[in-house]
Every structure is written in C-alpha cells, then in structure tokens.
Amino acid sequence: MKKFYYLMRMAFMTKFAYIKAFWFNIFGTAVSILIYYFLWKYVFRTREELNGFTAAQMTTYVIISRVLSSQFSGGIDREFSEWVYKGNIVVELLRPVPLLYNLFGKRIGEFLFFLLFKGIPISILATLILGGTGPAGAGQLLLFGMSVLVSIVILFWIEVTVGLIGFFTLNVWGLTFTKSALLSILSGGVVPLFLFPDEVAQVLNYMPFAGMVSVPASIYLGKYDWNQAVQFIGLQIIWAILLGLGVLAFYRFAIKKVVVQGG
Amino acid sequence: MMQIEVNHLVKEYKRKRDPGTLLKALGSMFRPDYEIFRAVDDINLGIEKGEAVGYVGPNGSGKSTTIKMLSGVLTPTAGTIKIDGLEPRKNRMKINKRTGVVFGNRSVLWWDVPVMESYRVLQKLYEIPEKTFRDNLEEFIDLLDMERIIQVPERQLSLGQKMKCNIAAAFLHNPEIVYLDEPTIGLDSESKLKIRRFIQKMNEDRHTTFIVTSHDFQDIESLCQRIILINHGKIVIDDKIGAVRKNFTKKKQITFDLADNPWSKGKEFAIPDVRVLDVGETNLVLEYDVEKTDSMEIMNYVSASSDIQDVSINGQDIESIIREIVKKDNQGEV
Ligand SMILES: Nc1ncnc2c1ncn2[C@@H]1O[C@H](COP(=O)(O)OP(=O)(O)O)[C@@H](O)[C@H]1O
Ligand SMILES: [Mg+2]
C-alpha cells in the first residue's frame, strides 16, 4: 500500500510539473462543454423535454459526459507504448514491483489529479454557470462516485491493451486516437446512448464502455432507480474483472515477446 | 556454486528485412519479411560472488543483449541463466531486488521531479529500511559529490550528473550484483574518475559483483580483474586482464637514453623485426615483436655500440591488444 501511495504521489507530482499544459487541457474541456451546451440548447428551443431529460438535466449530462470523456485522450497508453518504442521499458521491467502495478499506481495518481484539479471544480463551476441540475440525491451521488471509480479500472485495462499492442506494432499513435474516439461514442460521451437506434442502445448499455459515461451520468441524474443503479455497477465490476483477466493473459503473452529497442 | 551461471545462451532477433522498393514496402505492411539475426551465440559464463568483470567487444557484438538477458528483461532464445540458482526470467521480482542495473543511455529516475523524490520512491519500492537508506545516501552523496544536485529535477541535470544519480540509485538497496552497461559513455574525465572510484569502492567494501561493459578501456582496466571479450555474439577471450596482457602482447616498445647515439648519425639498426619509432641525439625508441626477438638481445646490441644511460620497456595497452584480437577474429584466425 505504501508503494502504491508513493507511485501515485509520483504521478501526481509529475502532473504538477506540467501544470501549464494542464491549463490548456482545462480550457479545451471548457470549450467542448460550451459547444455541446449550445447544441442542446438549440434542440431544446422547440421542446420541453427529450426522452425524459429536461434542458437542465441535459446540461448536466453534457458537463459530466464531457468531463469524464476528456480522460479518454489521456491515460497511460501513450506513455506505456513510448516506453516500448524508445526502449525505456527495460528500466520499468527492472523495478521491483510488477509493471502493471507500477502503471496502475501511476494511472490512479493521474486520475486523482484529474479529479482534484479538473473534474470536480469544472463540474461544479459549469453546473452553476450554465444552470445544470445537482445530483438526484446523496445516495445517487455516492453511487455515481463508485461507478466512476470502477470505470477507471476498466479504462485502465483498455489503456494497457492499447499499450501492449505497441509491443507488436511498435507504434500506437493511430490506435490511441481511435481508442479515444471510439470510447467517446460508445460510452455515451458524445450523445446519450438513448439517441442510438433501440437495439444498438440496448447492447451498448450492457457493454463496459457505458460504465464510463452513460451509467454514472444516468445514476447522477436519477434516471436509474436504486436497484438498477446497483445492478449496473455490479455489471461494471464484473466487466472490470473479466477484462482484467483477459488483459493479464494478453500481458503475460506479450511480455514474453518484449523486444527492447536500442542499445 | 557460481553466483552467475550461463550455459549455451543464444538470442536471436527477428529483423524486418529492408523491402527495397516502395511497392514491396506496401506488401510488407501486411506480410512483413523477417530475417533472423543471432546477436548472442552460444555463450557460457561463470562468475563468482565479488568478481568484477569487464565485458568488452565492438559495437553491436551483443553486450547489451547479454546484460538484458542476465537481468531478466529479454527472454533467451535458447540456453539457461542461473543467478544464485534462480532463472531471472521466471523470478524477475526476486532478482530485481537483489540486482542493480545502470544503462548509460537510460534513466531509472523520474524525469520531472527532484532526484531526491525519485530516491524516496525507490526506497519504498525496494523496501529499504530508513537507516540503510540514510547511510547509503550520505555515503554516495559524499563519494559522488551530489550534494547540490539531488534537489534538482533530473531534466535539469547534465549528462554526468544524471549518470552519477543513476549509479547511486542502482546501489541504494545494497544489491549483490550490479550490471553497468556503458556507465561512462559521453562523460568528461572528471565524472568518469569519480564514477570509477565509486564502483571500485563498492566492489571492495561490499563485495558487490560487477559486470561492466564499456568502450573505455581505462574503465575496464581500473575496475576489473577479469575481461570477457565478445565478438559477433561469441566469446573470444575470458581471462584475467593480466593474463590477456601477457598472452596476447605481440609488440613492445623499448626506449633508450643514450650518452651518444650512433643511429642518429645514419647507422643502420641491424636486428631484423625491430622498427625504429623515434631517434634523436640521445634517445632511441624501438618497437619489437616479442615472438621474434627479446629485450636482452636488443639491449646487448645497443650497448655494444653505445653507452646506455637509461632504458624502459612498455607493453601494449589493453585496448590495442583487444583491437588486434578482434581484427584477427574477424579474419577467422583465433
Ligand atoms: N531490438 C532489436 N531488434 C533487432 N536487432 C537488434 C535489437 N537489439 C539489438 N539488435 C542487434 O543485435 C546486435 C547486438 O546488439 P547489442 O547487444 O546492443 O550490442 P552491443 O551492446 O554490444 O553494442 C546488434 O547487431 C544489433 O543491431
Ligand atoms: Mg550496448
């Protein structure tokens, strides 16, 4: 646990070193919130509600979805693949903790940084300024938090997979780009899943991606009752475990093939 | 039992063959054309605890590849490695705790934070007791003169400072074995000297086993008792440095200080296989082939026509010995 704490702390400090770049990152997210906000505002000009969403609820959905999906383009996959590409993986493999443990500590550190300096302040500010709704209740807020926590584990496995593919392709630029685009769409980060055709929406609701935006946002807005919320979080946990097992197997296979670049 | 035992170690890399034309390059995106390249070819080694071994060879001869296999990062294509009886590939975490590795072109520190913060994380990861950590740090800071640099982020350090910090990092957890791959590459002589002294001291005080690869033969000569020469992935020589010097010295230089030097006045030097390198009013420098003649014969000859005031004999330095061995090996003679 102590080791994990120090790995997290290191990721946190590293992020701090790039605080200037982080302001641009926040600016980018703020702009994307505004764009989506005005889009939906336009839609709601002619109607009171859409599929049970009021304009204020949609504003909150936009804020939560934009903030949560802004994580998709970050993460450890790019750095992980860069380790492989530039050969620094050799140093990381020589650490006295498993590589995945090391990476997870780093990822959680970055996630906490994201929460503290971007996720929470931006969400609160945007909700106040743009007039969104608060959480449906204290219980919903708690479940929302849990759902986001589980989703970060799922996101981590996806990032590891993308990085691992770097073992074979030695370059994952295209892949990370595709990843963040796909995740944004499939998770409900671009438009709510109910706007997809019914059958597609049904499938997507039960995929692990929904857990990253759609599920937590719906819980927050009180779109799921207590039972549904717990079931969806349970499903996310199952996905996190299944994906974890799969990625672990892939990791074991890939690591045997590690080719370390450069002298 | 040897601390490090390597048997019939082989590493083959798959390399994409250069496709030649653009059309073929497009084709090879889907079905890459590979060739097998054998970087390490049937190596056998035994290294005792506390030994300091210089692992030398020309660029691309397979030194780094060997180190990466020894440290468990690369999987051997064939053969076995045992470190204290353990296979590094299968016991990576255990081995990592007992070894330190320094790569001259890589860093184990975190780039953006003060070096001391990186050391703190390493302390936790290696579970180094606070007292050991403090004592080691104090000693290393003193030996490597790092007082002023450990509060600075690594990205703001010079190459030599970075290397010092990395070498200290490799020793914080009192490793039993340390691999140093080109630890002094690109450093100025002052830093080199400090680093050499440090490694020497660790070897003497703590009996840390070392394998050092280096281009700099002064590193090897000052640090190692034993030298292993690898060429094209194969071991050519594995012996004590002294023995290598003795067995492979082909040429020696002999320098005379003479009261009166008849060879400076056009006299022919009459022993064959002796080359006159330099001749002045009172000095004479000769190079001779140790297999064809010896110093006694030359001395007798010189003293017959002149008054010898002083004489000194120099063997070849280890670098030129190794260079000649590699040259012969490439011609298939050793
Ligand atoms: N990842 C790799 N893929 C293909 N070939 C490699 C790779 N790494 C090293 N090699 C080749 O293996 C040989 C040995 O490399 P290396 O062990 O780095 O040599 P040294 O450290 O002695 O300079 C070189 O010819 C190099 O080109
Ligand atoms: Mg090398």
Side-chain angles (χ1 to χ4, degrees), chain A residues 259-263, chain B residues 13-15 37 39 58-65:
Chain A
V259 173
V260 180
Q261 294 287 298
Chain B
Y13 287 114
K14 252 202 224 168
R15 295 211 278 214
F37 177 78
N59 265 329
S61 53
K63 303 180 297 292
S64 298
T65 304

Side-chain angles (χ1 to χ4, degrees), chain B residues 292-306:
Chain B
K292 304 226 169 92
T293 176
D294 63 41
S295 56
M296 276 323 283
E297 187 185 349
I298 295 172
M299 239 156 358
N300 286 337
Y301 169 74
V302 171
S303 65
S305 349
S306 177

